[in-house]
């Protein structure tokens, strides 16, 4: 699917989601504009799920005050303002993927929280989360399966939980990894 050349005067040039659910898979957002969320505006208790999507221009911004779930490989050219929760969903990914789940974490701003979701039987290994992560020092919550278990982890930390060692680290090329 393609969302191209859409505009709104206030919010959500292509998509405005308030208290609902919006899912996009393998979509391209190009040349969308709005004062808040040129491509996507997600507010209140809304949930937006993006899998393998591309936001091709700087005007294709996202404003998130709900939950933004990212899986697959997503590329961002515009700013993502996070005032809610961003979830990196690794539950269907394999380790050592050559491409990060998002291309550029430096595009993300705001005071929102970040979490990583993995399955209980997740294959052990290194997962690439985000490129351009040199300045990303935010604590991330790790959620395992459907359990209520939540592990707080900061880049550079190593955490041992239920017999498994988790670390959130930056590599020499400044990619954010979970292993």
């Amino acid at each position: 699917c393609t969302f191209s050349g859409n505009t709104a005067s206030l919010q959500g040039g292509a998509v405005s989601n308030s208290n609902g659910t919006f899912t996009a898979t393998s979509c391209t957002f190009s040349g969308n504009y709005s004062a808040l969320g040129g491509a996507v505006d997600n507010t209140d208790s809304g949930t937006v799920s993006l899998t393998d999507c591309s936001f091709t221009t700087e005007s294709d911004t996202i404003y998130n005050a709900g939950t933004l779930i990212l899986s697959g490989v997503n590329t961002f050219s515009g700013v993502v303002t996070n005032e809610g929760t961003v979830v990196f969903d690794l539950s269907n990914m394999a380790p050592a993927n050559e491409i990060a789940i998002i291309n550029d974490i430096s595009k993300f701003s705001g005071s929102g929280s970040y979490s990583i979701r993995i399955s209980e039987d997740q294959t052990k290994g290194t997962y690439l989360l985000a490129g351009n992560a040199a300045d990303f020092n935010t604590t991330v919550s790790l959620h395992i399966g459907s359990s209520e278990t939540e592990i707080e982890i900061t880049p550079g930390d190593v955490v041992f939980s239920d017999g498994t060692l988790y670390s959130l680290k930056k590599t020499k090329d400044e990619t954010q990894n979970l292993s």
Side-chain angles (χ1 to χ4, degrees):
C1 67
T2 300
F3 295 86
S4 180
N6 298 290
T7 61
S9 59
L10 294 178
Q11 57 197 63
V15 175
S16 183
N17 182 48
S18 177
N19 293 315
T21 301
F22 173 76
T23 301
T25 302
S26 299
C27 293
T28 299
F29 293 79
S30 180
N32 299 289
Y33 177 79
S34 179
L36 189 62
V40 177
D41 177 63
N42 184 43
T43 58
D44 301 319
S45 297
T47 299
V48 170
S49 297
L50 302 173
T51 304
D52 298 323
C53 290
S54 179
F55 295 77
T56 63
T57 66
E58 288 186 10
S59 67
D60 290 308
T61 60
I62 295 176
Y63 177 79
N64 177 53
T67 302
L68 175 61
I69 302 170
L70 303 172
S71 59
V73 176
N74 297 279
T75 58
F76 299 94
S77 295
V79 172
V80 178
T81 303
N82 179 32
E83 300 298 341
T85 301
V86 171
V87 178
F88 298 101
D89 187 356
L90 304 179
S91 59
N92 292 315
M93 291 186 74
N97 190 351
E98 295 298 317
I99 302 172
I101 196 168
I102 62 170
N103 66 314
D104 190 350
I105 194 77
S106 72
K107 298 282 186 188
F108 285 62
S109 65
S111 61
S113 63
Y114 293 85
S115 68
I116 299 168
R117 181 185 304 157
I118 61 174
S119 63
E120 291 177 11
D121 60 349
Q122 189 87 26
T123 302
K124 294 184 181 5
T126 298
Y127 293 81
L128 303 179
L129 296 179
N132 204 10
D135 295 324
F136 187 80
N137 296 306
T138 304
T139 299
V140 176
S141 299
L142 178 63
H143 297 269
I144 303 167
S146 59
S147 73
E148 296 298 316
T149 302
E150 180 177 309
I151 302 167
E152 296 291 321
I153 190 167
T154 301
D157 283 355
V158 176
V159 177
F160 189 74
S161 176
D162 294 327
T164 303
L165 186 70
Y166 299 96
S167 67
L168 188 60
K169 59 187 175 184
K170 298 176 190 176
T171 63
K172 63 183 175 203
D173 64 354
E174 304 301 349
T175 301
Q176 193 75 43
N177 295 316
L178 174 71
S179 52

